[in-house]
Amino acid sequence: MAYLAPAEFVTKMVDAGESKLLMSTRDTLIRSYMAGAILALAAAFAVTITVNTGNALVGAMLFPVGFIMLYLMGFDLLTGVFTLAPLAVFDKRPGATWGGVMRNWALVFCGNFAGALTVAVFMAIIFTFGWSEAPNAIGQRIGHIGEGRTVGYAAHGAAGMLTLFIRGVMCNWMVSTGVVAAMMSTSVSGKAIGMWMPITVFFYMGFEHSVVNMFLFPSGLLLGGHFTLMDYLIWNEIPTVLGNLVGGLTFVGATLYSTHYKTAPKRISA
């Protein structure tokens, strides 16, 4: 498992950010749609495991298979482009602008949401036999997740909103660490191992991932969860997106860029 030194993989991060900014609209939407769909399926897989085994750790440990699949196939998550795309602007790469960053973020958000929503509808059909009966145990669990992580936060007011935001920050600190860890190796096994642990941490700790939530909460609404679309947007998705942006860019992208790419001059010995 060949290992790349920090200066090498951070250069790859900047290159990846530039590539994403210059990608066509069509390719950006296709890749983000597939990323949202695969991650949503992984979330459904993890919830199914948790319900069937009664062990949330097992579900969290197997959830990363979806993240690994979408990364190896070159698909794009919003959490990843939050971290990588701005680096091309920091480095003043040709054609890299903040307008381009906003365009990329908007396209990836739309693609991720469409992909996750597609799987949410498919899984709702499976959990209810085409809406011909009440949701099964897995569908009921997803509905309860939606309630607890919307009206549950709202019940705590400002403290709930702060907790939600910080969970979003912590989530993309871990998820983007997984994205970067994949760049540390040139082998498939090395990339998979590098991604596995931080993704397991985020999922098991209950941190808030904007794209996973694009599946969980629409699914909850389709399956009879007792919360509204506005509850979802105000008391989860919007604060989670902002938290994911801060966490990925601040604690991963900008930090690694500033110390391994734009390294400060060495001290001169007296």
Side-chain angles (χ1 to χ4, degrees):
M1 297 184 294
Y3 169 73
L4 300 182
E8 295 175 295
F9 68 71
V10 175
T11 299
K12 290 181 65 175
M13 291 170 62
V14 181
D15 292 342
E18 179 183 21
S19 175
K20 294 179 190 307
L21 291 186
L22 301 180
M23 192 183 302
S24 70
T25 299
R26 185 201 69 167
D27 289 340
T28 302
L29 287 173
I30 291 172
R31 295 181 191 189
S32 56
Y33 176 90
M34 291 305 301
I38 291 172
L39 198 70
L41 189 56
F45 174 56
V47 174
T48 300
I49 292 169
T50 300
V51 171
N52 289 342
T53 66
N55 190 330
L57 180 59
V58 176
M61 290 182 67
L62 293 177
F63 168 76
V65 298
F67 184 87
I68 291 168
M69 283 192 296
L70 72 88
Y71 181 91
L72 292 177
M73 287 189 285
F75 298 146
D76 287 334
L77 287 174
L78 184 64
T79 43
V81 297
F82 275 163
T83 300
L84 299 176
L87 302 184
V89 180
F90 295 165
D91 200 43
K92 297 182 172 58
R93 294 289 179 93
T97 65
W98 284 112
V101 170
M102 297 301 173
R103 168 189 170 279
N104 176 259
W105 288 351
L107 289 173
V108 173
F109 179 95
C110 291
N112 284 171
F113 192 88
L117 185 60
T118 299
V119 174
V121 173
F122 288 171
M123 297 310 298
I125 292 171
I126 291 171
F127 294 149
T128 63
F129 273 88
W131 286 291
S132 65
E133 61 183 44
N136 62 14
I138 301 164
Q140 293 174 30
R141 173 65 67 88
I142 291 175
H144 291 318
I145 291 173
E147 294 168 17
R149 287 160 64 171
T150 52
V151 294
Y153 286 125
H156 291 84
M161 184 63 74
L162 176 62
T163 301
L164 169 58
F165 176 78
I166 296 300
R167 282 184 170 174
V169 171
M170 295 295 290
C171 171
N172 208 23
W173 188 345
M174 291 294 96
V175 172
S176 291
T177 296
V179 171
V180 173
M183 297 182 181
M184 297 175 184
S185 175
T186 57
S187 70
V188 171
S189 59
K191 291 177 181 293
I193 293 170
M195 287 184 271
W196 206 285
M197 195 60 214
I199 303 305
T200 298
V201 170
F202 117 70
F203 199 85
Y204 186 71
M205 295 291 290
F207 297 152
E208 299 285 355
H209 191 286
S210 53
V211 183
V212 171
N213 292 352
M214 292 174 187
F215 162 73
L216 288 175
F217 293 87
S219 292
L221 290 170
L222 290 170
L223 295 167
H226 298 297
F227 62 100
T228 67
L229 177 62
M230 291 306 295
D231 288 332
Y232 160 57
L233 293 175
I234 295 173
W235 285 100
N236 195 286
E237 191 62 39
I238 294 174
T240 296
V241 166
L242 295 175
N244 287 172
L245 170 59
V246 172
L249 184 54
T250 302
F251 292 104
V252 182
T255 305
L256 289 170
Y257 178 86
S258 64
T259 192
H260 289 307
Y261 193 85
K262 292 294 185 181
T263 306
K266 292 184 178 180
R267 295 174 59 247
I268 298 175
S269 178

